[in-house]
Amino acid sequence: MPVYTLPELPYDYAALAPVISPEIIELHHDKHHAAYVKGANDTLEQLAEARDKEQWAALNGLEKNLAFHLSGHVLHSIYWRNMTGDGGGEPLEKDGVGELADAIAESFGSFAAFKAQLSKASATTQGSGWGVLAYEPVSGRLIVEQVYDHQGNVGQGSVPILVFDAWEHAFYLQYRNQKADFVEAMWQVVNWQDVARRYTAAASRADVLLLGS
């Protein structure tokens, strides 16, 4: 039985238009995300075979493949839920996401400063990658990370709560090579309710790393 499965979209293909076209959503979810799920499952089977046969020559490549595909699956699963057709704006106390708004202000100085940093991180990630707002449990702060491919350049233990996909397959059919325009448009569909839930869940597990007594 497969360990990982492709989650269903929480909306139809047209729900995020005009920010993201139905064609991109369909290809991105049904083809690209599905490929990461298959890749993770296939790699687990190959690792099991290597253990059974005690044949380790391909171990380094398999471990790298597992990290790539599994991280791609996790980030995309967050990505779909991070967006909604009636989202956007900024998190506000009157919308029930005051704790998230306070955490952003405390960690970055203001929402505007946070937005500028995440936008720039997403738009300038070298090659393919992501811009990520993550909860960092050691400091209890929110941080912005650049994720190269799917898993590089991140702090160990940080929990992604808002992700901007900056791979070309996320935007090229609609925005061509204007990645920065796509990133700016993404702010119109952010689902702050989902981000706030993820923040609360991550903050409640602040001692997960158990670095000291």
Side-chain angles (χ1 to χ4, degrees):
M1 293 291 292
V3 176
Y4 304 109
T5 58
L6 180 68
E8 293 186 5
L9 288 172
Y11 34 70
D12 62 39
Y13 295 137
L16 303 178
V19 173
I20 308 178
S21 70
E23 181 183 17
I24 288 178
I25 295 294
E26 181 176 5
L27 288 171
H28 196 170
H29 176 268
D30 296 1
K31 301 298 183 181
H32 291 281
H33 189 173
Y36 300 130
V37 173
K38 183 179 186 301
N41 287 321
D42 289 348
T43 305
L44 285 180
E45 292 182 3
Q46 294 164 2
L47 285 166
E49 182 178 358
R51 290 193 300 273
D52 290 343
K53 296 181 179 181
E54 296 189 358
Q55 295 179 349
W56 305 112
L59 180 63
N60 287 350
L62 290 174
E63 295 288 5
K64 183 177 180 180
N65 286 345
L66 181 61
F68 177 82
H69 290 298
L70 178 54
S71 295
H73 172 43
V74 169
L75 288 168
H76 280 92
S77 297
I78 297 170
Y79 181 65
W80 306 124
R81 296 282 175 178
N82 272 173
M83 297 183 290
T84 178
D86 58 358
E90 64 179 276
L92 300 171
E93 185 176 358
K94 68 181 181 63
D95 297 324
V97 291
E99 289 187 6
L100 173 64
D102 290 344
I104 289 174
E106 181 178 352
S107 297
F108 299 98
S110 67
F111 177 80
F114 152 67
K115 180 180 178 181
Q117 184 176 346
L118 181 56
S119 293
K120 186 62 69 173
S122 303
T124 62
T125 300
Q126 293 179 340
S128 299
W130 302 69
V132 175
L133 173 66
Y135 178 80
E136 198 285 290
V138 177
S139 65
R141 296 174 59 88
L142 294 172
I143 59 173
V144 166
E145 297 178 322
Q146 284 184 317
V147 178
Y148 304 135
D149 288 334
H150 290 317
Q151 75 277 14
N153 204 37
V154 298
Q156 298 301 310
S158 61
V159 180
I161 64 172
L162 173 62
V163 299
F164 279 12
D165 192 342
W167 283 64
E168 286 192 346
H169 64 239
F171 65 87
Y172 197 85
L173 287 177
Q174 187 174 354
Y175 294 84
R176 297 298 187 258
N177 63 338
Q178 301 303 313
K179 184 190 294 187
D181 291 348
F182 170 66
V183 171
E184 182 60 30
M186 275 290 298
W187 292 101
Q188 301 175 42
V189 294
V190 174
N191 184 348
W192 292 114
Q193 298 292 329
D194 181 71
V195 180
R197 285 191 293 269
R198 295 180 187 279
Y199 168 70
T200 299
S204 70
R205 301 192 301 270
D207 63 348
V208 67
L209 291 180
L210 297 177
L211 297 185
S213 57

